[in-house]
Amino acid sequence: MLLTREKTAFYLQDLETPVGKSVNLTIAGLVFLSSVSFVVQTYKIPDNFRLLLDGIDQAILLIFAAEYLLRLWSEENKIKYFFSFYSIIDLMAILPFFLGADAISFIRLLRWFRILRLIRFLDKKFIFGISTEDSLISARILFTLFAIIFVYSGLIYQVEHPVNPKNFATFLDAFYFSIVTMTTVGFGDVTPISELGRLLTVLMILTGIALIPWQVGDLIKRLVKTANQVETVCSGCGLSFHDADAIFCKNCGTKLRKD
């Protein structure tokens, strides 16, 4: 059956029907698989296994390119979509496919941003079995923190490993450096030596100072708020948890029945 633009857009955005959910779960799984593949390739592995991972990554890249073109084709306002946040993230992940220059260093840097594509799926809380808005916000905060550290770790590894392989031998070394730097602990046992590596380190420190305290503070407030809630199912929208003294549902306004 030939897909129309409307059906294509529906399946790429829908997470309630079996087909739509399968499509989006598959895309999310491929994003996760490709990110794991990048990490594994920073270690010493057999050449045949490395070739296998490269082949898998090329196949995933082809799927992502096809998905991006389908999303662009199904949008009525293509200009607006092209400059949207999700479109820019998707485009950064597939630039090697369009440019045919996966060996170029600055293009290889962009592949670490691919994990940011998972942000799209955090807007759909039931895909992860999250039942409350506060839990969804907490999940977004945790993922944001992890994604930032992951991206910085990939970038600093890609920049420093060729010139400083002793200190940045694997992704774990870069991950350790990113956490120590962004939390401003600064043990000093691992240091970048390239100019770009030092610039990334400065950006890590600034990001850690500006973002992490705010995100962690917000997360703690959410956890405390959630701990003070009780299970009171709303008859209107089915929201399960509300504040202990709530009279009306915070989601739809229906009066709550308290047994």
Side-chain angles (χ1 to χ4, degrees):
M1 181 177 63
L2 186 63
L3 290 177
T4 63
R5 287 196 335 180
E6 291 76 13
K7 286 185 177 180
T8 301
F10 175 77
Y11 287 135
L12 289 173
Q13 297 174 10
D14 171 63
L15 287 172
E16 295 184 2
T17 64
V19 175
K21 195 168 187 177
S22 297
V23 169
N24 284 277
L25 279 174
T26 299
I27 294 171
L30 291 176
V31 172
F32 179 75
L33 177 62
S34 64
S35 300
V36 171
S37 173
F38 298 155
V39 172
V40 172
Q41 291 185 63
T42 66
Y43 292 84
K44 292 182 179 179
I45 56 177
D47 291 339
N48 57 347
F49 186 45
R50 189 177 297 277
L51 288 174
L52 175 62
L53 292 179
D54 287 338
I56 292 174
D57 183 59
Q58 291 298 317
I60 292 175
L61 190 61
L62 182 62
I63 293 172
F64 286 166
E67 179 217 353
Y68 177 81
L69 293 175
L70 283 173
R71 287 186 185 275
L72 184 63
W73 171 70
S74 64
E75 291 290 331
E76 292 186 5
N77 191 335
K78 293 178 173 53
I79 302 277
K80 181 179 178 181
Y81 174 76
F82 182 80
F83 289 102
S84 67
F85 172 75
Y86 288 140
S87 174
I88 292 173
I89 293 297
D90 292 347
L91 191 57
M92 289 174 64
I94 61 173
L95 271 179
F97 174 82
F98 289 111
L99 298 181
D102 191 48
I104 299 178
S105 297
F106 83 94
I107 292 293
R108 292 182 67 85
L109 290 174
L110 298 179
R111 66 183 188 173
W112 296 97
F113 288 92
R114 196 176 292 179
I115 196 172
L116 297 178
R117 300 199 63 212
L118 292 175
I119 293 175
R120 173 184 280 116
F121 303 101
L122 284 176
D123 290 336
K124 310 295 183 180
K125 56 186 176 182
F126 61 88
I127 194 173
F128 296 108
I130 299 174
S131 58
T132 66
E133 187 67 24
D134 287 334
S135 298
L136 176 61
I137 294 174
S138 298
R140 287 174 181 167
I141 292 173
L142 289 172
F143 176 77
T144 300
L145 291 173
F146 171 78
I148 290 172
I149 294 173
F150 181 89
V151 170
Y152 269 131
S153 300
L155 294 179
I156 196 68
Y157 170 83
Q158 205 73 48
V159 168
E160 282 294 311
H161 178 71
V163 296
N164 193 8
K166 182 177 179 180
N167 287 330
F168 292 89
T170 66
F171 177 83
L172 183 59
D173 295 329
F175 191 73
Y176 162 78
F177 174 78
S178 297
I179 292 179
V180 169
T181 302
M182 294 184 69
T183 54
T184 64
V185 175
F187 292 129
D189 54 337
V190 179
T191 56
I193 61 174
S194 68
E195 291 187 2
L196 185 53
R198 290 172 179 172
L199 175 60
L200 281 172
T201 302
V202 172
L203 293 177
M204 286 183 195
I205 295 172
L206 294 177
T207 303
I209 293 173
L211 184 64
I212 289 183
W214 168 56
Q215 291 280 53
V216 172
D218 195 15
L219 178 61
I220 292 174
K221 287 192 294 184
R222 294 285 174 184
L223 292 175
V224 171
K225 182 179 178 181
T226 302
N228 293 330
Q229 291 182 339
V230 295
E231 186 172 4
T232 306
V233 180
C234 172
S235 59
C237 66
L239 188 63
S240 301
F241 291 90
H242 297 81
D243 294 337
D245 58 350
I247 300 176
F248 298 96
C249 175
K250 63 182 179 181
N251 187 43
C252 67
T254 301
K255 188 170 182 179
L256 301 174
R257 285 175 44 189
K258 297 189 177 181
D259 298 330

